Amino acid sequence: MRKISAFIVTALMLIVGFRYSWLTWQGEIQPVLATWLLFLVAVFLSFMTYWSTEKHSFTGNIINTTDLFNMCLIMFSIIVLGKNTILEFNAFDISCLVASGIILVFWRLSKMHVIANLALQGIMTVAYFPTIYRLWHTKTNTEQFGVWILVWIASAVALIPAYINRDKLGMIYASRSLTMVSVVLILMLIIYF
């Protein structure tokens, strides 16, 4: 069951990464660079802190691994191929990047992998705020339902191997993703109706 769930998550997240990149390249969506940069930094550090813990496995936190690949792919498409990218950075975005840097320094000095990983989950939660803010204050949906629904499904399925492995950090990562993607989907539905 673990391997099947991990395969499903990987397949869904690959579709998401390539689809989001395609939509960015075609100018059909308007990604917020700040959101994706925050995610890239936080997902990378989350991946590093997770693999530094005693309890780590490929399947236990498969969503973090696939997120890392997607963040790199999406950042590439935003920076190199993006046509309608929102490039604005505000004090909030910069403070989140600084907080990620502080967590990195804390982790490297203290070797407290779990605490650093949990702090990064907070940063990744906050990284949704620019997109949530924009969706809350706009009259048109700048995101794509299909992509976010696939991320929601992948996050839900990622809970299965994390639970089977009794991987608490994997469960926290997938639960955080599931919760925040639910908020984004609800806001998109509000705009739609």
Side-chain angles (χ1 to χ4, degrees):
M1 188 62 159
R2 269 180 277 191
K3 289 181 182 177
I4 292 170
S5 299
F7 175 78
I8 291 168
V9 170
T10 302
L12 289 172
M13 293 302 285
L14 286 174
I15 292 168
V16 165
F18 285 108
R19 177 73 178 148
Y20 202 92
S21 295
W22 173 261
L23 293 169
T24 299
W25 182 37
Q26 295 300 307
E28 293 182 34
I29 57 174
Q30 297 174 308
V32 178
L33 180 63
T35 296
W36 293 104
L37 181 59
L38 289 171
F39 270 120
L40 177 61
V41 170
V43 167
F44 174 74
L45 292 174
S46 175
F47 181 82
M48 297 303 292
T49 58
Y50 174 76
W51 280 92
S52 297
T53 64
E54 288 181 26
K55 176 106 177 155
H56 62 268
S57 71
F58 180 71
T59 58
N61 201 357
I62 186 65
I63 194 88
N64 194 177
T65 304
T66 56
D67 261 353
L68 181 57
F69 173 80
N70 278 353
M71 293 308 108
C72 293
L73 179 62
I74 290 168
M75 280 301 292
F76 172 81
S77 67
I78 288 171
I79 293 169
V80 177
L81 307 172
K83 295 177 181 171
N84 294 324
T85 302
I86 298 171
L87 299 174
E88 60 196 38
F89 280 80
N90 56 34
F92 173 77
D93 304 328
I94 294 167
S95 65
C96 287
L97 287 171
V98 169
S100 295
I102 291 168
I103 293 168
L104 171 64
V105 171
F106 165 79
W107 170 55
R108 298 304 296 164
L109 294 176
S110 72
K111 306 292 186 216
M112 298 175 101
H113 314 298
V114 173
I115 292 172
N117 189 280
L118 293 173
L120 289 162
Q121 299 313 308
I123 295 291
M124 283 189 271
T125 298
V126 169
Y128 280 88
F129 290 3
T131 299
I132 289 170
Y133 178 85
R134 191 186 52 185
L135 286 171
W136 183 262
H137 289 89
T138 188
K139 291 180 175 34
T140 59
N141 183 16
T142 57
E143 295 292 333
Q144 217 254 351
F145 274 106
V147 168
W148 286 95
I149 289 169
L150 289 178
V151 174
W152 189 91
I153 294 168
S155 299
V157 173
L159 283 167
I160 296 168
Y163 179 77
I164 291 170
N165 287 358
R166 303 221 187 298
D167 189 327
K168 291 177 185 169
L169 291 178
M171 285 188 275
I172 289 168
Y173 192 102
S175 297
R176 185 239 350 117
S177 178
L178 188 63
T179 301
M180 297 310 297
V181 171
S182 295
V183 171
V184 170
L185 283 169
I186 289 167
L187 289 172
M188 285 193 284
L189 284 171
I190 290 170
I191 292 168
Y192 184 73
F193 293 111

